[in-house]
Amino acid sequence: MRDIMNNMRVAARSGTRAVVAAIALAAVSAAAQTREHVVALVAPLTGPAAVYGSELSAGVQAYLAQLNKQGGIKGVPPRLLVHDNKYQASLTTDLVKAAIEKDHPLAFI
């Protein structure tokens, strides 16, 4: 369990860099007519790794809020959708599929 928590901690720390890269790459290829860039985060907000998923979610939300204050991505605001996978792999798969079908996110974190 300790190894899992350490891995989650490292992932949360490097998550901001991944967010920046994912959004930048996706935004470049997005259509100019887009009203908003939907970014989906699937993370453990409850369960044994909740503290790390909550920290990751808070960090991504803070970054996107700052990005929105600066005018978004080429004038298009990003919007974050957060989904709780409860630290369950099978639920993660279902949540990603549902988000793709319903929300059509530009990027996943």
Side-chain angles (χ1 to χ4, degrees):
M1 186 67 164
R2 176 171 263 182
D3 289 337
I4 293 170
M5 294 303 179
N6 285 335
N7 289 340
M8 289 294 294
R9 185 178 297 118
V10 170
R13 287 181 186 151
S14 62
T16 301
R17 283 180 242 144
V19 170
V20 172
I23 292 173
L25 289 173
V28 169
S29 64
Q33 302 296 331
T34 303
R35 296 169 136 192
E36 66 182 1
H37 295 303
V38 176
V39 178
L41 170 65
V42 178
L45 303 176
T46 59
V51 67
Y52 302 110
S54 297
E55 289 177 5
L56 178 60
S57 177
V60 172
Q61 289 174 1
Y63 175 76
L64 293 181
Q66 178 184 1
L67 189 59
N68 276 330
K69 286 180 183 177
Q70 296 172 349
I73 303 166
K74 294 192 177 193
V76 180
R79 179 172 59 99
L80 180 64
L81 299 177
V82 180
H83 303 282
D84 180 14
N85 67 7
K86 301 176 183 166
Y87 200 61
Q88 297 175 10
S90 61
L91 184 55
T92 300
T93 304
D94 294 340
L95 290 170
V96 168
K97 287 178 183 178
I100 289 170
E101 292 174 6
K102 181 182 175 194
D103 305 308
H104 311 288
L106 184 64
F108 276 93
I109 301 168

